[in-house]
Amino acid sequence: MWPSFSLNRPLLWVGLASLSASVWLPDITLRLVAMSLVALGLLDAWRQVRLEHQRARLGQDALALSEDGVIITDAANRILAVNPAFTRITGYSADEVRGLNATSLSSPRHDSAFFERYWQTLQASGRWEGEIWNRRKHGDEYPEWLRVRAVSDPAGRVTHHVCLFTDISMHKARERDLRRIGFEDPLTGLPNRRRLHDLLDSRLRHLRAGESLDMALIDIDGFKAINDGFGVETGDRLLARFGQRLAGHVAGGVVGRLGGDEFMVIRTTTFDDHDRWVAGLQEHLGEPFELQGHSLRLGLTIGSCRAPEDGRESGVLFQRLESALYAAKRHGRNHSQRFRPALDVQESPQLGLLNDLRNALASGTQLELHYQAQHRLDDGSLVGWEALLRWRHPRDGLISPGDFIPLAERHGLMVSLGNWVIDEALSRLARWRQLGMPEVPVWINVSALQMFQGELEAALAAGLARHRVPARQLGLEITESVLLDERAGDIAPRLGALRERGHPIAIDDFGTGYSSLGYLKKLPLDKLKLDRAFIMALPGDRADAAIVSAVLAMARGLDLEVIAEGVETEAQRDFLVAEGCALVQGFLYARPEPPESLESAWREAASASPADSSGRQAAEASA
């Protein structure tokens, strides 16, 4: 900071002494020397005064640049000076407030007790800081953050107060917005999940004798198709209008949006008409909505329950509402289901398994990939591996994918699970390349949820770059259910882009779906995987034999490879050879094995015959 003004200036005092002495000096030369010293003293004094003026001007400029308001008062709290920011914030000019008591600008929100505490703190410590409400010139009130410091003289008496304040009205508005966002759905303005929990808790606490709470969880059927057909903006407008109609129908009740196309309704009632109430909701919301000149009727799936019969805690009731909704979805769309204790019994073990699955995904140590070899029929050589997901539960041992995959799909874990499979398969491929094992593709299964919920392409690209594995070594098996699922949209362009990157593409479980065979002409495919359901009865079952022969003939016409899975007997193998099937997979050749077993078998085979490290040798070692 600038040095303070001081009279401790040697040149000044020498000049004054020389001025006094010059009167008595007899010699003109001595007088000239004395006058020179006087001139130097006056020059030093003038320089000191000029610096003091510069310091004052720079201080004023600094206060003018400050975005914070500054008030300087005397010991009696009368305003002496303010800076320009004070005028910008309050609207008062310096002349209008000079001489006024600073407390005259405060808002009447504060009582006398507040100011008593204020002055006590300021007198005791010489400082005060906190939030205070003041009034602008036009009368509107605003919050400010105020810092006050008392200035004392050498004797310790307070002579001035310096006040620095910041207008925090914008900050307060942001806080209100954040609180609103935390409790309100931004699209519809309805309470969100967090707020619904609080409102349900409140209604449960204030439930009186003879009163019940009816609750319904409503899911709009096929909403993605609406978004795809009309656009996201139109879909958002539909959700807002849906919420408005629902709120208008349940006057006095609570309506909220949990997210996506799920809404929740709560009403307090003394009537025992739960089923009729739900039917009324479905009927009212089933009335058409007008969208872009189209009359659109919505299908609704509803899960419902009632308190206190079905529970007295909000967490339990939310869980039971979701159980009822899932049960309704299993029965088909446009259906309602009231919670029953049997549903809770069905879901409870699954909820425990769901929590364990989340923990397994978080740790990554319980999940495993086992690999089943794929072979060429004419010479038995290894042509690929299928990666099969396994969950080694610490308490229950190996859990079948048929038990936990549907759970992952229903509770939004399929994308995380699929990304784990991608990364693990690529990591194992990178290791096998280092070991010198045969460079044949590893095939992984891709679910419909990965196609329309996750960034499949991004996950594949990131994994390939991280593990430095070429795309041709990771094959993608798409089930026919993906082609049938409208949520995945038109996947042909996406599959085409993946194939251009180098990934082989196959249709898994071919023949078990119900889609038209016309997609075979349009989709960029390399391979069809014939489902084991058609293989197990070969060659005795004439119908299965005819189907297999027809699929093989069709694939040859479309220039597609066919791999038959589930081959377990030599008779099945011989039939497939006779029909011209080139590739097989099944217990006759190899069972799914953990990667450590495959690597160990490869090392043994390579050390036993180092001159011949062909793919067939690895296949024989693994079989």
Side-chain angles (χ1 to χ4, degrees), residues 104-154:
S104 65
L105 303 178
S106 64
S107 163
R109 294 188 183 213
H110 303 294
D111 55 14
S112 58
F114 172 84
F115 287 106
E116 286 178 7
R117 291 192 299 271
Y118 167 87
W119 286 112
Q120 288 172 1
T121 304
L122 189 60
Q123 291 168 3
S125 64
R127 295 173 181 271
W128 187 89
E129 182 173 356
E131 182 182 314
I132 191 170
W133 283 79
N134 276 352
R135 277 189 302 198
R136 305 188 205 272
K137 182 178 180 179
H138 297 295
D140 57 310
E141 300 177 354
Y142 69 99
E144 65 180 32
W145 190 260
L146 177 65
R147 285 169 285 178
V148 183
R149 181 176 179 181
V151 180
S152 304
D153 62 12

Side-chain angles (χ1 to χ4, degrees), residues 224-247:
K224 183 178 184 299
I226 297 173
N227 269 343
D228 292 342
F230 293 96
V232 176
E233 290 185 3
T234 302
D236 287 347
R237 285 198 297 271
L238 174 62
L239 289 174
R241 289 173 57 188
F242 185 90
Q244 291 170 1
R245 181 184 290 187
L246 187 56

Side-chain angles (χ1 to χ4, degrees), residues 221 297 351 355 408 411 429 520:
D221 297 337
R297 290 183 181 271
L351 290 174
N355 185 59
H411 291 275
L429 271 170
L520 292 180

Side-chain angles (χ1 to χ4, degrees), residues 255-546:
V255 174
R257 181 181 177 221
L258 276 69
D261 58 352
E262 283 191 0
F263 290 79
M264 182 174 172
V265 187
I266 307 170
R267 73 156 185 171
T268 305
T269 182
T270 57
F271 298 103
D272 189 12
D273 61 346
H274 180 86
D275 294 338
R276 188 164 62 253
W277 175 70
V278 172
L281 283 176
Q282 202 154 18
E283 180 181 356
H284 182 73
L285 297 172
E287 292 295 320
F289 289 85
E290 297 298 325
L291 282 179
Q292 298 182 353
H294 298 279
S295 182
L296 183 65
R297 290 183 181 271
L298 299 179
L300 304 173
T301 302
I302 301 178
S304 65
C305 67
R306 188 174 172 92
E309 291 95 316
D310 297 327
R312 295 177 177 271
E313 298 179 5
S314 63
V316 172
L317 290 168
F318 263 84
Q319 176 185 321
R320 291 178 173 175
L321 272 176
E322 291 176 347
S323 297
L325 181 63
Y326 291 140
K329 286 182 176 181
R330 285 196 293 269
H331 284 87
R333 298 292 179 176
N334 204 28
H335 182 77
S336 64
Q337 173 73 60
R338 181 175 174 178
F339 172 78
R340 303 188 312 273
L343 296 178
D344 213 17
V345 172
Q346 293 168 10
E347 288 292 331
S348 293
Q350 290 196 339
L351 290 174
L353 195 63
L354 175 64
N355 185 59
D356 292 345
L357 181 57
R358 288 197 174 104
N359 292 333
L361 273 170
S363 67
T365 56
Q366 300 174 26
L367 300 174
E368 302 174 1
L369 285 184
H370 289 197
Y371 297 85
Q372 187 172 27
Q374 299 173 341
H375 298 272
R376 191 173 299 281
L377 267 175
D378 55 6
D379 60 3
S381 61
L382 180 71
V383 294
W385 305 95
E386 182 181 7
L388 301 169
L389 183 60
R390 299 289 185 265
W391 178 14
R392 193 174 297 278
H393 194 279
R395 182 188 66 248
D396 301 332
L398 276 179
I399 297 178
S400 167
D403 292 331
F404 68 84
I405 292 295
L407 201 61
E409 290 178 338
R410 194 160 66 246
H411 291 275
L413 299 179
M414 200 59 219
V415 173
S416 299
L417 205 58
N419 289 344
W420 183 89
V421 169
I422 290 171
D423 191 72
E424 177 64 20
L426 288 171
S427 173
R428 187 60 59 178
L429 271 170
R431 174 175 171 80
W432 287 352
R433 283 165 62 86
Q434 291 176 350
L435 292 176
M437 291 177 65
E439 294 194 6
V440 294
V442 167
W443 294 84
I444 61 171
N445 292 284
V446 176
S447 75
L449 292 173
Q450 283 177 272
M451 293 297 293
F452 79 86
Q453 280 187 350
E455 296 292 337
L456 175 65
E457 291 83 353
L460 289 169
L464 292 171
R466 182 164 55 251
H467 297 291
R468 298 181 181 179
V469 173
R472 68 176 184 276
Q473 285 198 255
L474 188 68
L476 308 178
E477 292 187 359
I478 313 294
T479 62
E480 280 193 297
S481 61
V482 177
L483 307 176
L484 293 168
D485 198 318
E486 62 179 12
R487 297 171 296 179
D490 183 9
I491 68 169
R494 296 178 65 183
L495 293 182
L498 290 170
R499 194 165 180 248
E500 287 178 4
R501 291 184 188 180
H503 293 287
I505 308 291
I507 294 295
D508 192 18
D509 299 336
F510 182 77
T512 59
Y514 301 95
S515 57
S516 169
L517 297 180
Y519 65 74
L520 292 180
K521 296 190 299 182
K522 302 174 184 177
L523 293 180
L525 302 175
D526 297 285
K527 188 181 295 185
L528 301 179
K529 197 165 187 186
L530 197 54
D531 188 74
R532 67 179 67 247
F534 303 111
I535 305 298
M536 62 175 61
L538 292 180
D541 190 294
R542 295 180 59 185
D544 285 344

Side-chain angles (χ1 to χ4, degrees), residues 15-300:
L16 290 174
S18 298
L19 180 63
S20 301
S22 64
V23 179
W24 309 101
L25 291 174
D27 187 27
I28 188 67
T29 303
L30 293 175
R31 288 183 179 182
L32 289 173
V33 171
M35 293 306 295
S36 299
L37 292 174
V38 170
L40 286 173
L42 291 174
L43 180 65
D44 184 59
W46 176 79
R47 180 173 174 273
Q48 180 78 351
V49 170
R50 188 183 66 176
L51 287 174
E52 188 63 27
H53 278 293
Q54 185 181 26
R55 285 195 291 270
R57 188 176 68 254
L58 289 171
Q60 292 291 334
D61 291 342
L63 286 177
L65 287 173
S66 173
E67 293 295 325
D68 294 335
V70 177
I71 305 173
I72 299 175
T73 70
D74 60 14
N77 207 34
R78 290 187 294 267
I79 298 175
L80 301 177
V82 296
N83 71 334
F86 171 90
T87 301
R88 288 196 301 272
I89 294 172
T90 67
Y92 290 104
S93 66
D95 293 335
E96 290 174 315
V97 297
R98 190 175 290 115
L100 293 179
N101 193 297
T103 57
S104 65
L105 303 178
S106 64
S107 163
R109 294 188 183 213
H110 303 294
D111 55 14
S112 58
F114 172 84
F115 287 106
E116 286 178 7
R117 291 192 299 271
Y118 167 87
W119 286 112
Q120 288 172 1
T121 304
L122 189 60
Q123 291 168 3
S125 64
R127 295 173 181 271
W128 187 89
E129 182 173 356
E131 182 182 314
I132 191 170
W133 283 79
N134 276 352
R135 277 189 302 198
R136 305 188 205 272
K137 182 178 180 179
H138 297 295
D140 57 310
E141 300 177 354
Y142 69 99
E144 65 180 32
W145 190 260
L146 177 65
R147 285 169 285 178
V148 183
R149 181 176 179 181
V151 180
S152 304
D153 62 12
R157 292 187 298 270
V158 174
T159 60
H160 297 84
H161 296 113
V162 178
C163 311
L164 186 69
F165 67 91
T166 304
D167 182 357
I168 59 172
S169 54
M170 292 296 293
H171 177 70
K172 285 284 189 180
R174 283 195 295 270
E175 283 186 347
R176 287 195 300 271
D177 288 342
L178 288 174
R179 283 196 297 271
R180 179 178 57 81
I181 291 170
F183 291 101
E184 183 179 295
D185 174 56
L187 176 62
T188 62
L190 298 173
N192 61 11
R193 180 184 287 269
R194 179 181 175 187
R195 181 62 175 156
L196 283 168
H197 269 285
D198 293 342
L199 292 171
L200 181 55
D201 275 332
S202 175
R203 294 227 167 185
L204 287 169
R205 284 197 304 271
H206 295 94
L207 207 59
R208 291 179 290 192
E211 289 184 337
S212 298
L213 288 184
D214 284 328
M215 288 156 285
L217 192 57
I218 304 170
D219 181 87
I220 301 175
D221 297 337
F223 185 72
K224 183 178 184 299
I226 297 173
N227 269 343
D228 292 342
F230 293 96
V232 176
E233 290 185 3
T234 302
D236 287 347
R237 285 198 297 271
L238 174 62
L239 289 174
R241 289 173 57 188
F242 185 90
Q244 291 170 1
R245 181 184 290 187
L246 187 56
H249 181 67
V250 192
V254 174
V255 174
R257 181 181 177 221
L258 276 69
D261 58 352
E262 283 191 0
F263 290 79
M264 182 174 172
V265 187
I266 307 170
R267 73 156 185 171
T268 305
T269 182
T270 57
F271 298 103
D272 189 12
D273 61 346
H274 180 86
D275 294 338
R276 188 164 62 253
W277 175 70
V278 172
L281 283 176
Q282 202 154 18
E283 180 181 356
H284 182 73
L285 297 172
E287 292 295 320
F289 289 85
E290 297 298 325
L291 282 179
Q292 298 182 353
H294 298 279
S295 182
L296 183 65
R297 290 183 181 271
L298 299 179
L300 304 173

